[in-house]
Amino acid sequence: MTDINQVIAQMPIEVYERLRSAAELGKWEDGTVLSETQRESTLQVVMLYQARKLEQTEHFTIAPDGKINELSKAELQKQFRGEPIAEFKAQDL
């Protein structure tokens, strides 16, 4: 059997995205429902991929050290402060 480290190292981003989607939705792209065991295993692979291959700093993502990134309330407010997405005038509505 292939070592999980090799699997993660060779896994294309597209496969990761499909696994992440399956773990989030609880079913594969074709609609087949994941068993609880499949969902747990898929989630573990997704988390390992995130820790090893993605440099994430967002809230509740997996950091390279395997810990969950937890931003403080002040950090989250700072992150979401910024340019508005859209602006409307009363006459536009």
Side-chain angles (χ1 to χ4, degrees):
M1 184 169 167
T2 305
D3 180 69
I4 189 66
N5 296 315
Q6 290 176 327
V7 171
I8 297 298
Q10 297 172 0
M11 183 183 297
I13 188 77
E14 296 82 13
V15 173
Y16 157 75
E17 290 170 350
R18 288 185 184 134
L19 291 171
R20 187 188 70 203
S21 176
E24 290 172 352
L25 301 175
K27 59 184 176 181
W28 298 111
E29 288 179 348
D30 68 358
T32 304
V33 177
L34 275 72
S35 69
E36 191 58 36
T37 304
Q38 287 175 322
R39 194 166 188 177
E40 288 173 11
S41 298
T42 301
L43 186 55
Q44 288 177 2
V45 170
V46 166
M47 291 171 67
L48 188 57
Y49 185 94
Q50 289 174 345
R52 300 257 173 94
K53 295 193 80 172
L54 303 180
E55 292 185 23
Q56 304 182 109
T57 58
E58 295 86 26
H59 190 53
F60 280 109
T61 56
I62 308 298
D65 62 3
K67 295 181 181 176
I68 296 176
N69 291 319
E70 294 185 71
L71 303 179
S72 69
K73 185 175 179 180
E75 290 172 315
L76 287 170
Q77 287 175 338
K78 182 180 172 185
Q79 180 179 351
F80 289 107
R81 230 180 272 141
E83 298 298 317
I85 296 171
E87 290 185 20
F88 298 98
K89 296 179 181 169
Q91 63 199 25
D92 295 333
L93 301 175

